[in-house]
Amino acid sequence: MRSLFFSLTLLVTVVAAPMSVAQKIQMSIDVSKPGAKVDRNLFGQFAEHLGHGIYEGIWVGPDSKIPNTRGIRNDVVAALKALKVPNVRWPGGCFADEYHWRKGVGPERPVTLNPNWGGVIEPNTFGTHEFMDFLDQIGAEAYLSVNLGSGTPQEAAEWLEYLTTAQQTALARERSANGHPAPYKVAYLGLGNESWDCGGNMTPDYYLDRMKLFSHFVRNFNPDQQPEKAKNQQMLKIAVGPGGAESRWTDWTEAIMKAWQAHTWSWDIDGLSLHSYTVVKWPPAHASVGFGETEYAQILKSTLEMKDLVEKHSAIMDRYDPQKKVALVVDEWGGWYAPFPGSNPGFLVQQNSLRDAVLAALNLNIFARHADRVRMANIAQMINVLQAMILTNEEKMVLTPTYYVYKMYVPFQDATFVPVAFDAGTFTHDGVTLPRIDAVAAKDKAGKLWLAVTNVDPSQSAEIELALAGKTVKSAAGETLSAPKVDSVNTFDAPNTVVPNPISAKAHDGKLTLKLEPKSVTVVAVE
Ligand code: AHR
């Protein structure tokens, strides 16, 4: 089935769209007005025990013919290293609230079930040590979601002791016997997942009662993560937040933030999660391949609702936390489409097209513009599930259009936001009106200025006339990502249909013009 899936997608990538008259857009970057830091954690990933996200996607086992290091595929590691992945959220998702960590450590691993996702076998061969090894190989931090739904505070507390204590407790000795004498670093801790739904269908008050127990008792003992030892190394705790814009969700945010405002020494949170998928309507019915400009416009219209959602919940948070101590953590987001025909619907298999590249850029831009409050985000999901970076099939691997957007945006990690002024304009397709252009800019630590521009319009190219407020612009150079059609995809047989190409421009008479393809994402360094 999986090879049929990828050969079908070949059919949709061959015809080039005609270039039409370019729209002229004046754009000005003002480096004298720096904004918030675009936290590198905004480029976080999410890897759940779901379909082929972990097994096959990351883990093939040490005896596999697929080249691997201690069971973890080398091709996937190399690809992820290039993204400078800041953190990976694991083991779920809904799976996390049914996960019992003890089954995933030691030489004997019981075979269990994955009731949420297809009811398949969970071999538990990828557990705590394998996850931490994977993080080590790609250079990312751990964002562990503890089981607050069907687990106990004691179980989660023991997991953290097992992972982080340097003292010779029974759990530390067990960790050592399992191959890791040194304590692990756990940077982020999720206190449950969607506790209003798959995580236990709790009311805000019931969740708060449980969350306070976990916040208090689930301690990190790593000596290097203690407040007196190092600044900014302490484990940050992230509470379950809203899953939409309706009053059910605003009530949830109100309740958690109100409680937080009155919190005592015995519990605290550093982040509130927000989950929001681009679906138009549940259950997801839009196809991930073989669609046209109408579906392109519908999906992008829907994805832009992220802005209002972030602003709505930020406004509530501002009332209880004007100093913005608690981050809004968008730790599940991305396009969620109909299950690929013939796939297990529980595996959330979908292809990833040029539309997803544009969708990713638009969301990353929203997060960057709200970087004072939104300090972490995790796209769902990293490999083979939903809006993935990477697709694998046995020994084959292909990088998706979304992967390339993440690679192009690497310079934005920890850069400082700077405002860009432009008239976005609009275009209308089949009754759906969208902004034509989107752009964000940021200055990196070395002082280099970066501009990301998305031309959303599927048929009109754009000419960006770029100026630097109070300065002379000389040149711009970087990469641009486009493809013949809105549903162009990369496949195992044709992996280079949607790949970035170099772009550059030099100023003439003090004016710099960047010519952008229709439906494109461009990132350039500006001199
Ligand atoms: O990402 C798939 C699922 O979507 C996650 O497990 C859950 O948290 C959300 O509903």
Side-chain angles (χ1 to χ4, degrees):
M1 182 286 300
R2 303 187 78 216
S3 26
L4 171 68
F5 162 36
F6 294 112
S7 19
L8 276 175
T9 56
L10 255 180
L11 297 173
V12 296
T13 60
V14 284
V15 191
M19 280 279 269
S20 51
V21 186
Q23 303 287 315
K24 281 204 166 62
I25 290 126
Q26 308 295 322
M27 191 171 276
S28 173
I29 309 177
D30 191 351
V31 286
S32 70
K33 297 196 177 92
K37 182 174 85 168
V38 180
D39 201 304
R40 60 194 294 264
N41 281 314
L42 290 176
F43 302 87
Q45 298 287 335
F46 171 37
E48 179 165 14
H49 287 238
L50 195 176
H52 296 293
I54 302 287
Y55 299 108
E56 282 195 32
I58 297 174
W59 180 257
V60 287
D63 301 329
S64 171
K65 65 177 187 337
I66 299 170
N68 68 83
T69 302
R70 295 180 293 280
I72 295 163
R73 354 183 7 145
N74 294 344
D75 52 355
V76 163
V77 166
L80 292 173
K81 270 169 102 166
L83 296 189
K84 298 197 186 311
V85 176
N87 72 81
V88 182
R89 179 169 179 255
W90 176 85
C94 298
F95 180 83
D97 277 309
E98 294 192 75
Y99 184 63
H100 300 285
W101 69 272
R102 281 211 149 277
K103 300 186 174 162
V105 295
E108 299 300 325
R109 310 271 177 104
V111 171
T112 55
L113 287 174
N114 188 336
N116 273 296
W117 302 119
V120 294
I121 289 290
E122 167 55 57
N124 285 300
T125 42
F126 189 89
T128 300
H129 289 259
E130 292 74 22
F131 176 62
M132 299 309 274
D133 187 12
F134 167 63
L135 292 184
D136 201 39
Q137 291 189 37
I138 65 167
E141 305 262 37
Y143 176 6
L144 286 187
S145 256
V146 293
N147 181 345
L148 182 140
S150 66
T152 63
Q154 184 181 355
E155 180 190 18
E158 287 175 1
W159 195 14
L160 266 284
E161 183 191 322
Y162 177 89
L163 278 156
T164 64
T165 187
Q167 307 212 58
Q168 287 308 298
T169 65
L171 283 166
R173 288 209 183 98
E174 195 181 338
R175 182 189 69 225
S176 207
N178 287 334
H180 207 275
Y184 286 112
K185 181 181 175 198
V186 178
Y188 309 99
L189 193 76
L191 306 174
N193 173 75
E194 298 191 356
S195 305
W196 29 260
D197 202 350
C198 71
N201 210 337
M202 302 174 192
T203 62
D205 285 346
Y206 182 69
Y207 172 72
L208 270 166
D209 286 346
R210 279 188 74 77
M211 183 267 276
K212 288 175 188 174
L213 296 177
F214 279 72
S215 171
H216 179 68
F217 292 115
V218 185
R219 296 181 170 98
N220 185 316
F221 298 101
N222 187 319
D224 294 335
Q225 292 191 261
Q226 304 311 308
E228 61 281 4
K229 178 79 188 277
K231 258 193 176 168
N232 303 327
Q233 290 298 318
Q234 290 120 64
M235 183 175 75
L236 303 183
K237 295 175 186 170
I238 296 151
V240 169
E246 298 84 356
S247 59
R248 176 184 176 204
W249 309 119
T250 50
D251 290 352
W252 185 280
T253 301
E254 283 275 350
I256 309 295
M257 291 308 296
K258 193 172 176 196
W260 175 81
Q261 191 185 39
H263 82 92
T264 64
W265 67 270
S266 63
W267 73 277
D268 199 358
I269 55 169
D270 306 281
L272 183 72
S273 93
L274 167 69
H275 288 185
S276 176
Y277 287 96
T278 300
V279 279
V280 181
K281 198 166 155 253
W282 290 97
H286 278 71
S288 59
V289 284
F291 56 86
E293 290 180 7
T294 299
E295 294 82 4
Y296 170 83
Q298 287 168 343
I299 286 291
L300 295 182
K301 177 99 186 161
S302 167
T303 214
L304 287 171
E305 289 168 13
M306 180 66 88
K307 172 183 177 285
D308 290 346
L309 193 60
V310 160
E311 289 177 358
K312 197 170 203 172
H313 290 285
S314 296
I316 300 171
M317 295 174 82
D318 283 350
R319 279 198 276 115
Y320 297 103
D321 174 27
Q323 293 176 295
K324 300 186 194 299
K325 289 185 176 166
V326 180
L328 188 59
V329 174
V330 190
D331 55 11
E332 283 190 33
W333 69 274
W336 188 327
Y337 308 125
F340 197 84
S343 68
N344 181 336
F347 282 13
L348 310 187
V349 177
Q350 59 190 46
Q351 243 296 8
N352 193 294
S353 66
L354 179 64
R355 178 178 66 185
D356 294 294
V358 174
L359 185 157
L362 294 176
N363 280 280
L364 292 173
N365 295 353
I366 292 169
F367 302 151
R369 278 192 283 268
H370 297 86
D372 56 344
R373 178 68 80 179
V374 183
R375 299 197 285 271
M376 187 156 163
N378 300 69
I379 191 166
Q381 298 193 7
M382 190 162 61
I383 306 164
N384 291 333
V385 177
L386 298 176
Q387 189 172 346
M389 304 290 117
I390 296 174
L391 303 172
T392 65
N393 186 11
E394 297 183 354
E395 77 288 355
K396 293 182 201 153
M397 178 188 86
V398 67
L399 306 176
T400 67
T402 304
Y403 173 91
Y404 289 114
V405 170
Y406 269 66
K407 187 144 180 260
M408 290 160 69
Y409 269 70
V410 164
F412 281 81
Q413 293 196 12
D414 279 348
T416 303
F417 183 84
V418 290
V420 193
F422 59 99
D423 176 3
T426 58
F427 76 92
T428 301
H429 182 89
D430 212 2
V432 180
T433 299
L434 288 169
R436 170 169 282 137
I437 296 291
D438 192 24
V440 290
K443 217 171 187 185
D444 70 17
K445 282 187 187 143
K448 201 178 236 187
L449 181 62
W450 294 90
L451 172 69
V453 191
T454 300
N455 181 6
V456 185
D457 194 319
S459 42
Q460 305 267 346
S461 52
E463 275 189 21
I464 307 291
E465 292 191 347
L466 186 65
L468 290 182
K471 293 190 174 198
T472 312
V473 63
K474 287 190 213 141
S475 61
E479 289 187 317
T480 187
L481 184 73
S482 189
K485 297 180 74 183
V486 287
D487 64 344
S488 291
V489 295
N490 293 333
T491 66
F492 299 117
D493 298 327
N496 297 321
T497 306
V498 195
V499 291
N501 285 304
I503 184 171
S504 63
K506 283 208 181 329
H508 295 290
D509 303 327
K511 265 191 163 180
L512 188 141
T513 305
L514 266 179
K515 292 196 177 122
L516 306 181
E517 298 280 313
K519 49 184 170 3
S520 63
V521 179
T522 303
V523 175
V524 286
V526 181
E527 307 262 352

PDB file of all heavy atoms in Angstrom, residues 141-169:
ATOM      1  N   GLU A 141      16.664  18.651  22.762  1.00  0.00           N
ATOM      2  CA  GLU A 141      16.301  18.520  24.183  1.00  0.00           C
ATOM      3  C   GLU A 141      15.045  17.652  24.318  1.00  0.00           C
ATOM      4  O   GLU A 141      14.223  17.578  23.400  1.00  0.00           O
ATOM      5  CB  GLU A 141      15.967  19.886  24.774  1.00  0.00           C
ATOM      6  CG  GLU A 141      17.058  20.909  24.607  1.00  0.00           C
ATOM      7  CD  GLU A 141      17.920  21.031  25.851  1.00  0.00           C
ATOM      8  OE1 GLU A 141      18.175  20.003  26.508  1.00  0.00           O
ATOM      9  OE2 GLU A 141      18.328  22.153  26.142  1.00  0.00           O
ATOM     10  N   ALA A 142      14.894  17.082  25.521  1.00  0.00           N
ATOM     11  CA  ALA A 142      13.733  16.228  25.786  1.00  0.00           C
ATOM     12  C   ALA A 142      12.536  17.049  26.269  1.00  0.00           C
ATOM     13  O   ALA A 142      12.660  17.863  27.180  1.00  0.00           O
ATOM     14  CB  ALA A 142      14.087  15.204  26.857  1.00  0.00           C
ATOM     15  N   TYR A 143      11.399  16.804  25.642  1.00  0.00           N
ATOM     16  CA  TYR A 143      10.123  17.334  26.129  1.00  0.00           C
ATOM     17  C   TYR A 143       9.264  16.093  26.404  1.00  0.00           C
ATOM     18  O   TYR A 143       8.660  15.530  25.495  1.00  0.00           O
ATOM     19  CB  TYR A 143       9.513  18.252  25.074  1.00  0.00           C
ATOM     20  CG  TYR A 143       8.130  18.807  25.401  1.00  0.00           C
ATOM     21  CD1 TYR A 143       7.517  18.603  26.630  1.00  0.00           C
ATOM     22  CD2 TYR A 143       7.445  19.573  24.460  1.00  0.00           C
ATOM     23  CE1 TYR A 143       6.258  19.122  26.910  1.00  0.00           C
ATOM     24  CE2 TYR A 143       6.195  20.101  24.726  1.00  0.00           C
ATOM     25  CZ  TYR A 143       5.611  19.870  25.954  1.00  0.00           C
ATOM     26  OH  TYR A 143       4.354  20.381  26.223  1.00  0.00           O
ATOM     27  N   LEU A 144       9.262  15.664  27.669  1.00  0.00           N
ATOM     28  CA  LEU A 144       8.535  14.448  28.043  1.00  0.00           C
ATOM     29  C   LEU A 144       7.117  14.792  28.460  1.00  0.00           C
ATOM     30  O   LEU A 144       6.905  15.680  29.289  1.00  0.00           O
ATOM     31  CB  LEU A 144       9.198  13.782  29.254  1.00  0.00           C
ATOM     32  CG  LEU A 144      10.498  13.033  29.103  1.00  0.00           C
ATOM     33  CD1 LEU A 144      10.815  12.331  30.414  1.00  0.00           C
ATOM     34  CD2 LEU A 144      10.434  12.024  27.969  1.00  0.00           C
ATOM     35  N   SER A 145       6.161  14.063  27.930  1.00  0.00           N
ATOM     36  CA  SER A 145       4.775  14.202  28.362  1.00  0.00           C
ATOM     37  C   SER A 145       4.490  13.095  29.354  1.00  0.00           C
ATOM     38  O   SER A 145       4.539  11.916  28.980  1.00  0.00           O
ATOM     39  CB  SER A 145       3.840  14.009  27.173  1.00  0.00           C
ATOM     40  OG  SER A 145       3.349  15.214  26.730  1.00  0.00           O
ATOM     41  N   VAL A 146       4.205  13.440  30.615  1.00  0.00           N
ATOM     42  CA  VAL A 146       3.964  12.373  31.590  1.00  0.00           C
ATOM     43  C   VAL A 146       2.491  11.975  31.613  1.00  0.00           C
ATOM     44  O   VAL A 146       1.610  12.746  31.228  1.00  0.00           O
ATOM     45  CB  VAL A 146       4.458  12.754  33.013  1.00  0.00           C
ATOM     46  CG1 VAL A 146       5.965  12.854  33.041  1.00  0.00           C
ATOM     47  CG2 VAL A 146       3.812  14.025  33.520  1.00  0.00           C
ATOM     48  N   ASN A 147       2.276  10.755  32.063  1.00  0.00           N
ATOM     49  CA  ASN A 147       0.940  10.169  32.064  1.00  0.00           C
ATOM     50  C   ASN A 147       0.140  10.683  33.261  1.00  0.00           C
ATOM     51  O   ASN A 147       0.253  10.153  34.367  1.00  0.00           O
ATOM     52  CB  ASN A 147       1.087   8.635  32.104  1.00  0.00           C
ATOM     53  CG  ASN A 147      -0.245   7.915  32.096  1.00  0.00           C
ATOM     54  OD1 ASN A 147      -1.298   8.514  32.335  1.00  0.00           O
ATOM     55  ND2 ASN A 147      -0.208   6.616  31.848  1.00  0.00           N
ATOM     56  N   LEU A 148      -0.659  11.701  33.017  1.00  0.00           N
ATOM     57  CA  LEU A 148      -1.484  12.278  34.077  1.00  0.00           C
ATOM     58  C   LEU A 148      -2.892  11.692  34.051  1.00  0.00           C
ATOM     59  O   LEU A 148      -3.660  11.827  34.995  1.00  0.00           O
ATOM     60  CB  LEU A 148      -1.517  13.797  33.890  1.00  0.00           C
ATOM     61  CG  LEU A 148      -2.259  14.684  34.868  1.00  0.00           C
ATOM     62  CD1 LEU A 148      -1.472  15.965  35.135  1.00  0.00           C
ATOM     63  CD2 LEU A 148      -3.663  15.054  34.377  1.00  0.00           C
ATOM     64  N   GLY A 149      -3.208  10.983  32.938  1.00  0.00           N
ATOM     65  CA  GLY A 149      -4.562  10.450  32.782  1.00  0.00           C
ATOM     66  C   GLY A 149      -4.747   9.125  33.496  1.00  0.00           C
ATOM     67  O   GLY A 149      -5.512   9.013  34.448  1.00  0.00           O
ATOM     68  N   SER A 150      -4.014   8.073  33.035  1.00  0.00           N
ATOM     69  CA  SER A 150      -4.196   6.758  33.646  1.00  0.00           C
ATOM     70  C   SER A 150      -3.043   6.404  34.583  1.00  0.00           C
ATOM     71  O   SER A 150      -3.036   5.328  35.171  1.00  0.00           O
ATOM     72  CB  SER A 150      -4.320   5.680  32.557  1.00  0.00           C
ATOM     73  OG  SER A 150      -3.098   5.552  31.858  1.00  0.00           O
ATOM     74  N   GLY A 151      -2.072   7.313  34.708  1.00  0.00           N
ATOM     75  CA  GLY A 151      -0.942   7.069  35.600  1.00  0.00           C
ATOM     76  C   GLY A 151      -1.115   7.795  36.920  1.00  0.00           C
ATOM     77  O   GLY A 151      -2.109   8.481  37.144  1.00  0.00           O
ATOM     78  N   THR A 152      -0.117   7.641  37.783  1.00  0.00           N
ATOM     79  CA  THR A 152      -0.175   8.293  39.098  1.00  0.00           C
ATOM     80  C   THR A 152       0.989   9.269  39.219  1.00  0.00           C
ATOM     81  O   THR A 152       2.000   9.133  38.524  1.00  0.00           O
ATOM     82  CB  THR A 152      -0.033   7.251  40.225  1.00  0.00           C
ATOM     83  OG1 THR A 152       1.272   6.644  40.099  1.00  0.00           O
ATOM     84  CG2 THR A 152      -1.116   6.193  40.147  1.00  0.00           C
ATOM     85  N   PRO A 153       0.866  10.236  40.155  1.00  0.00           N
ATOM     86  CA  PRO A 153       2.003  11.119  40.400  1.00  0.00           C
ATOM     87  C   PRO A 153       3.238  10.321  40.803  1.00  0.00           C
ATOM     88  O   PRO A 153       4.353  10.669  40.441  1.00  0.00           O
ATOM     89  CB  PRO A 153       1.530  12.016  41.546  1.00  0.00           C
ATOM     90  CG  PRO A 153       0.038  11.936  41.525  1.00  0.00           C
ATOM     91  CD  PRO A 153      -0.312  10.592  40.959  1.00  0.00           C
ATOM     92  N   GLN A 154       3.038   9.225  41.527  1.00  0.00           N
ATOM     93  CA  GLN A 154       4.186   8.426  41.965  1.00  0.00           C
ATOM     94  C   GLN A 154       4.923   7.807  40.772  1.00  0.00           C
ATOM     95  O   GLN A 154       6.154   7.832  40.702  1.00  0.00           O
ATOM     96  CB  GLN A 154       3.739   7.325  42.920  1.00  0.00           C
ATOM     97  CG  GLN A 154       4.928   6.556  43.461  1.00  0.00           C
ATOM     98  CD  GLN A 154       4.527   5.432  44.388  1.00  0.00           C
ATOM     99  OE1 GLN A 154       3.356   5.268  44.712  1.00  0.00           O
ATOM    100  NE2 GLN A 154       5.497   4.661  44.812  1.00  0.00           N
ATOM    101  N   GLU A 155       4.141   7.277  39.820  1.00  0.00           N
ATOM    102  CA  GLU A 155       4.774   6.670  38.644  1.00  0.00           C
ATOM    103  C   GLU A 155       5.609   7.710  37.890  1.00  0.00           C
ATOM    104  O   GLU A 155       6.753   7.449  37.502  1.00  0.00           O
ATOM    105  CB  GLU A 155       3.692   6.095  37.718  1.00  0.00           C
ATOM    106  CG  GLU A 155       4.264   5.453  36.471  1.00  0.00           C
ATOM    107  CD  GLU A 155       3.209   5.093  35.416  1.00  0.00           C
ATOM    108  OE1 GLU A 155       2.088   5.616  35.479  1.00  0.00           O
ATOM    109  OE2 GLU A 155       3.550   4.307  34.512  1.00  0.00           O
ATOM    110  N   ALA A 156       5.033   8.900  37.726  1.00  0.00           N
ATOM    111  CA  ALA A 156       5.755   9.953  36.992  1.00  0.00           C
ATOM    112  C   ALA A 156       6.954  10.445  37.799  1.00  0.00           C
ATOM    113  O   ALA A 156       8.030  10.709  37.238  1.00  0.00           O
ATOM    114  CB  ALA A 156       4.809  11.107  36.675  1.00  0.00           C
ATOM    115  N   ALA A 157       6.782  10.537  39.130  1.00  0.00           N
ATOM    116  CA  ALA A 157       7.892  10.986  39.984  1.00  0.00           C
ATOM    117  C   ALA A 157       9.050   9.994  39.891  1.00  0.00           C
ATOM    118  O   ALA A 157      10.224  10.381  39.819  1.00  0.00           O
ATOM    119  CB  ALA A 157       7.420  11.132  41.424  1.00  0.00           C
ATOM    120  N   GLU A 158       8.726   8.712  39.865  1.00  0.00           N
ATOM    121  CA  GLU A 158       9.783   7.692  39.776  1.00  0.00           C
ATOM    122  C   GLU A 158      10.492   7.739  38.416  1.00  0.00           C
ATOM    123  O   GLU A 158      11.690   7.507  38.315  1.00  0.00           O
ATOM    124  CB  GLU A 158       9.198   6.300  40.043  1.00  0.00           C
ATOM    125  CG  GLU A 158       8.870   6.118  41.519  1.00  0.00           C
ATOM    126  CD  GLU A 158       8.186   4.799  41.828  1.00  0.00           C
ATOM    127  OE1 GLU A 158       7.962   3.995  40.904  1.00  0.00           O
ATOM    128  OE2 GLU A 158       7.845   4.578  43.017  1.00  0.00           O
ATOM    129  N   TRP A 159       9.720   8.050  37.377  1.00  0.00           N
ATOM    130  CA  TRP A 159      10.327   8.168  36.038  1.00  0.00           C
ATOM    131  C   TRP A 159      11.380   9.281  36.049  1.00  0.00           C
ATOM    132  O   TRP A 159      12.488   9.113  35.576  1.00  0.00           O
ATOM    133  CB  TRP A 159       9.233   8.454  34.990  1.00  0.00           C
ATOM    134  CG  TRP A 159       9.671   8.247  33.562  1.00  0.00           C
ATOM    135  CD1 TRP A 159      10.795   7.611  33.123  1.00  0.00           C
ATOM    136  CD2 TRP A 159       8.962   8.672  32.396  1.00  0.00           C
ATOM    137  NE1 TRP A 159      10.838   7.610  31.743  1.00  0.00           N
ATOM    138  CE2 TRP A 159       9.735   8.261  31.273  1.00  0.00           C
ATOM    139  CE3 TRP A 159       7.760   9.340  32.173  1.00  0.00           C
ATOM    140  CZ2 TRP A 159       9.320   8.510  29.955  1.00  0.00           C
ATOM    141  CZ3 TRP A 159       7.357   9.590  30.862  1.00  0.00           C
ATOM    142  CH2 TRP A 159       8.123   9.172  29.767  1.00  0.00           C
ATOM    143  N   LEU A 160      10.988  10.413  36.654  1.00  0.00           N
ATOM    144  CA  LEU A 160      11.926  11.547  36.682  1.00  0.00           C
ATOM    145  C   LEU A 160      13.116  11.265  37.595  1.00  0.00           C
ATOM    146  O   LEU A 160      14.245  11.674  37.306  1.00  0.00           O
ATOM    147  CB  LEU A 160      11.190  12.831  37.090  1.00  0.00           C
ATOM    148  CG  LEU A 160      10.675  13.683  35.918  1.00  0.00           C
ATOM    149  CD1 LEU A 160      11.825  14.449  35.250  1.00  0.00           C
ATOM    150  CD2 LEU A 160       9.983  12.848  34.841  1.00  0.00           C
ATOM    151  N   GLU A 161      12.858  10.534  38.684  1.00  0.00           N
ATOM    152  CA  GLU A 161      14.004  10.167  39.535  1.00  0.00           C
ATOM    153  C   GLU A 161      14.933   9.233  38.756  1.00  0.00           C
ATOM    154  O   GLU A 161      16.157   9.408  38.753  1.00  0.00           O
ATOM    155  CB  GLU A 161      13.530   9.491  40.830  1.00  0.00           C
ATOM    156  CG  GLU A 161      14.707   9.179  41.761  1.00  0.00           C
ATOM    157  CD  GLU A 161      14.337   8.284  42.939  1.00  0.00           C
ATOM    158  OE1 GLU A 161      13.231   8.437  43.493  1.00  0.00           O
ATOM    159  OE2 GLU A 161      15.168   7.412  43.281  1.00  0.00           O
ATOM    160  N   TYR A 162      14.341   8.243  38.091  1.00  0.00           N
ATOM    161  CA  TYR A 162      15.122   7.293  37.275  1.00  0.00           C
ATOM    162  C   TYR A 162      15.979   8.055  36.262  1.00  0.00           C
ATOM    163  O   TYR A 162      17.159   7.773  36.087  1.00  0.00           O
ATOM    164  CB  TYR A 162      14.146   6.347  36.562  1.00  0.00           C
ATOM    165  CG  TYR A 162      14.798   5.359  35.623  1.00  0.00           C
ATOM    166  CD1 TYR A 162      15.238   4.123  36.076  1.00  0.00           C
ATOM    167  CD2 TYR A 162      14.963   5.666  34.273  1.00  0.00           C
ATOM    168  CE1 TYR A 162      15.834   3.208  35.198  1.00  0.00           C
ATOM    169  CE2 TYR A 162      15.564   4.766  33.394  1.00  0.00           C
ATOM    170  CZ  TYR A 162      15.989   3.533  33.864  1.00  0.00           C
ATOM    171  OH  TYR A 162      16.585   2.636  33.002  1.00  0.00           O
ATOM    172  N   LEU A 163      15.378   9.050  35.628  1.00  0.00           N
ATOM    173  CA  LEU A 163      16.088   9.774  34.578  1.00  0.00           C
ATOM    174  C   LEU A 163      17.154  10.720  35.122  1.00  0.00           C
ATOM    175  O   LEU A 163      18.228  10.855  34.543  1.00  0.00           O
ATOM    176  CB  LEU A 163      15.082  10.607  33.761  1.00  0.00           C
ATOM    177  CG  LEU A 163      14.321   9.868  32.670  1.00  0.00           C
ATOM    178  CD1 LEU A 163      12.999  10.576  32.367  1.00  0.00           C
ATOM    179  CD2 LEU A 163      15.156   9.790  31.400  1.00  0.00           C
ATOM    180  N   THR A 164      16.851  11.395  36.242  1.00  0.00           N
ATOM    181  CA  THR A 164      17.654  12.590  36.545  1.00  0.00           C
ATOM    182  C   THR A 164      18.519  12.541  37.803  1.00  0.00           C
ATOM    183  O   THR A 164      19.377  13.412  37.962  1.00  0.00           O
ATOM    184  CB  THR A 164      16.742  13.834  36.651  1.00  0.00           C
ATOM    185  OG1 THR A 164      15.839  13.659  37.761  1.00  0.00           O
ATOM    186  CG2 THR A 164      15.975  14.089  35.375  1.00  0.00           C
ATOM    187  N   THR A 165      18.297  11.580  38.712  1.00  0.00           N
ATOM    188  CA  THR A 165      19.097  11.694  39.941  1.00  0.00           C
ATOM    189  C   THR A 165      20.548  11.236  39.725  1.00  0.00           C
ATOM    190  O   THR A 165      20.816  10.276  38.999  1.00  0.00           O
ATOM    191  CB  THR A 165      18.467  10.948  41.132  1.00  0.00           C
ATOM    192  OG1 THR A 165      19.242  11.264  42.297  1.00  0.00           O
ATOM    193  CG2 THR A 165      18.485   9.443  40.954  1.00  0.00           C
ATOM    194  N   ALA A 166      21.457  11.964  40.408  1.00  0.00           N
ATOM    195  CA  ALA A 166      22.875  11.582  40.374  1.00  0.00           C
ATOM    196  C   ALA A 166      23.222  10.751  41.604  1.00  0.00           C
ATOM    197  O   ALA A 166      24.315  10.189  41.697  1.00  0.00           O
ATOM    198  CB  ALA A 166      23.742  12.835  40.344  1.00  0.00           C
ATOM    199  N   GLN A 167      22.298  10.693  42.569  1.00  0.00           N
ATOM    200  CA  GLN A 167      22.561   9.938  43.794  1.00  0.00           C
ATOM    201  C   GLN A 167      22.299   8.452  43.549  1.00  0.00           C
ATOM    202  O   GLN A 167      21.506   8.087  42.679  1.00  0.00           O
ATOM    203  CB  GLN A 167      21.652  10.460  44.906  1.00  0.00           C
ATOM    204  CG  GLN A 167      21.792  11.959  45.055  1.00  0.00           C
ATOM    205  CD  GLN A 167      21.590  12.396  46.460  1.00  0.00           C
ATOM    206  OE1 GLN A 167      22.294  11.943  47.350  1.00  0.00           O
ATOM    207  NE2 GLN A 167      20.610  13.254  46.667  1.00  0.00           N
ATOM    208  N   GLN A 168      22.932   7.628  44.346  1.00  0.00           N
ATOM    209  CA  GLN A 168      22.880   6.187  44.094  1.00  0.00           C
ATOM    210  C   GLN A 168      21.620   5.551  44.683  1.00  0.00           C
ATOM    211  O   GLN A 168      21.686   4.676  45.551  1.00  0.00           O
ATOM    212  CB  GLN A 168      24.142   5.517  44.628  1.00  0.00           C
ATOM    213  CG  GLN A 168      25.359   5.819  43.751  1.00  0.00           C
ATOM    214  CD  GLN A 168      25.107   5.502  42.274  1.00  0.00           C
ATOM    215  OE1 GLN A 168      24.859   4.354  41.923  1.00  0.00           O
ATOM    216  NE2 GLN A 168      25.136   6.515  41.419  1.00  0.00           N
ATOM    217  N   THR A 169      20.455   5.993  44.219  1.00  0.00           N
ATOM    218  CA  THR A 169      19.202   5.381  44.649  1.00  0.00           C
ATOM    219  C   THR A 169      19.004   4.089  43.851  1.00  0.00           C
ATOM    220  O   THR A 169      19.716   3.834  42.862  1.00  0.00           O
ATOM    221  CB  THR A 169      18.006   6.313  44.372  1.00  0.00           C
ATOM    222  OG1 THR A 169      17.876   6.464  42.956  1.00  0.00           O
ATOM    223  CG2 THR A 169      18.190   7.684  45.008  1.00  0.00           C
TER     224      THR A 169
END
